[in-house]
Amino acid sequence: MSTAVPGTTGVREVSVFGDAIAYFNEAAALLNLDPGIKAILTHPSRQIIFSIPFQRDNGSIEVYTGYRVQYNFARGPAKGGIRFHPGVTLDEVTALAFWMTWKCAVVDLPFGGGKGGVTCDPRTLSISEIERITRRYAAELVEVIGPDKDVPAPDVNTTPQHMAWIMDTYSMHHRMNVPGVVTGKPLEIGGSRGRVEATGRGVSIVALDEMARLGIDPKGATIVVQGFGNVGSIAAKMFVDAGCKVIGISDVTGAYVNTNGIDVNGAIAYAQEHHSLDGYRGGDKMSNQAMLEVPCDVLVPAALEKVLTVENAARVKTKLIVEGANGPTTPEADHLFARNGIAVIPDIVANAGGVTVSYFEWVQDRQGYFWKEAEVNERLRENLIDNFGVVRDLARARGTTYRTAAYMVAIDRVVRSLKARGVYA
Ligand SMILES: NC(=O)C1=CN([C@@H]2O[C@H](COP(=O)(O)OP(=O)(O)OC[C@H]3O[C@@H](n4cnc5c(N)ncnc54)[C@H](OP(=O)(O)O)[C@@H]3O)[C@@H](O)[C@H]2O)C=CC1
Ligand SMILES: O=C(O)CCC(=O)C(=O)O
């Protein structure tokens, strides 16, 4: 299907940003959003595309493409991760920055939305090549990022190490230490306790909260998790800690299913040692697509966009979908889940634990005073449960899905900020 994509190059096939706008439009209609405000909010504030020339270890020169989209600044500096992946495009980064705008607003953080990426396949690069790409990426953005401008963080295939390189490069350019330019840093240079676990922890917090309302006893509840990186592996571990039975896990090499329960700690150790789940023997191997159709109480897509589509949605047999990934469900699939009585906790709520603790890290860096892990985790829980409660109450009052209610809450908060500033200023 062709979709008009505001702020990109026009009409394109199967746009991620197009799907994201479709969700926005449903909520905007219920809010009777002024057309002028709607026009502002459906266009990215700034899209930056640049070349990243770098030298391979063998001496040859290659040029990759880098992106940073600063979608909206109404509530504060742009905020959002950086993705290194072969599938990175301007369309995808724009959608991800758009989602960050609503994510930060729905959990009431003083940030706008941003996202970045480099089109590259890190599996084909050495660690020193990745360092050169990351430092060049940071150097190209040195004038437009900063603690009060735009604060990047990790996303797919980027880690605290990448954030350390960005912080160091930015600090060198500014001739002073600037820890607040990125979050998700190592603890040694101003990272926050609990940030590495925060997104997966947040997924389990909102999932367990909703399971209680749906009458799903966590003891023995069956969970399937797609993606076994930062978000998926830690969410799986937290579900097991809560007494649940994780029956399916996966990474890009395939899915591993064991209805008696996967040994998640063992799988994490295996993935760390082998750098993937390839060859893992703790479950029957199947395709990622087939695993999404395995009957379970809770399904957690925690890899990439558009994995739950009109093609497979009717065969998904679960009671609750908790979106660890950004954008895993297309609007058509989402409507089908609503019709089939499958509850969906949308990405902008379900995976907001990461940016919430990123906010705590930014606050701690500015204070120069660092909190204990228990305090970070407690404040995270409180913020997610409170704001998910606001979304749930609105969904009940207006008879909408959680997704539409979450967008309504977020859009309303952003619009209030826009109006307070003076929209056209
Ligand atoms: N990190 C964070 O704090 C946050 C991340 N998110 C979102 O969560 C999702 C995952 O991010 P994160 O865990 O950080 O990323 P990671 O890079 O740590 O992990 C990604 C995981 O997804 C797997 N994967 C990639 N492609 C596929 C595929 N086609 N099918 C199945 N699995 C696949 C990867 O496998 P392999 O390792 O084999 O490539 C890996 O296990 C993304 O949508 C991200 O935007 C959202 C909020 C915060
Ligand atoms: O921690 C952050 O700032 C953002 C994390 C992120 O990219 C996301 O929530 O999708």
Side-chain angles (χ1 to χ4, degrees), residues 74-267:
R75 289 173 56 89
K79 186 85 191 81
I82 296 170
R83 176 174 293 196
F84 282 10
H85 193 273
V88 166
T89 61
L90 179 63
D91 172 65
E92 181 189 55
V93 178
T94 304
L96 290 162
F98 173 85
W99 282 318
M100 285 308 305
T101 306
W102 316 118
K103 188 184 306 184
C104 291
V106 81
V107 291
D108 213 3
L109 308 180
F111 289 130
K115 203 85 174 197
V118 178
T119 316
C120 67
D121 186 351
R123 285 173 304 184
T124 64
L125 297 163
S126 72
I127 193 74
S128 55
E129 288 170 338
I130 292 173
E131 176 173 355
R132 289 196 285 281
I133 292 166
T134 308
R135 287 187 180 278
R136 185 68 185 222
Y137 180 92
E140 288 295 330
L141 291 176
V142 88
E143 278 144 0
V144 291
I145 61 172
D148 294 307
K149 294 179 177 176
D150 179 1
V151 186
D155 190 71
V156 173
N157 290 326
T158 61
T159 65
Q161 177 61 77
H162 297 73
M163 298 306 116
W165 290 326
I166 295 174
M167 179 273 207
D168 184 61
T169 305
Y170 184 89
S171 296
M172 285 195 295
H173 279 268
H174 285 266
R175 294 281 186 261
M176 61 183 184
N177 200 44
V178 191
V181 63
V182 281
T183 58
K185 298 179 295 296
L187 291 184
E188 295 78 7
I189 54 167
S192 175
R193 293 181 179 86
R195 174 60 185 89
V196 168
E197 298 82 9
T199 311
R201 183 182 295 279
V203 166
S204 73
I205 288 171
V206 295
L208 291 164
D209 190 51
E210 186 62 14
M211 285 161 72
R213 274 158 226 279
L214 294 174
I216 304 172
D217 185 353
K219 301 281 172 264
T222 51
I223 317 284
V224 166
V225 183
Q226 184 190 46
F228 207 61
N230 174 264
V231 180
S233 69
I234 289 166
K237 183 174 154 38
M238 304 263 167
F239 280 116
V240 169
D241 290 349
C244 305
K245 191 163 68 163
V246 172
I247 60 167
I249 58 174
S250 78
D251 68 6
V252 82
T253 67
Y256 306 83
V257 173
N258 182 346
T259 50
N260 294 319
I262 300 269
D263 167 15
V264 170
N265 287 324

Side-chain angles (χ1 to χ4, degrees), residues 31-83:
L31 288 168
N32 292 320
L33 206 61
D34 172 84
I37 301 273
K38 188 172 162 186
I40 292 174
L41 296 179
T42 50
H43 286 78
S45 183
R46 186 186 284 164
Q47 295 170 304
I48 305 157
I49 309 178
F50 49 98
S51 295
I52 303 179
F54 77 104
Q55 192 165 36
R56 302 291 309 238
D57 292 341
N58 66 11
S60 65
I61 305 283
E62 289 188 15
V63 182
Y64 287 175
T65 303
Y67 305 90
R68 186 76 188 166
V69 175
Q70 298 170 330
Y71 195 88
N72 187 281
F73 295 97
R75 289 173 56 89
K79 186 85 191 81
I82 296 170
R83 176 174 293 196

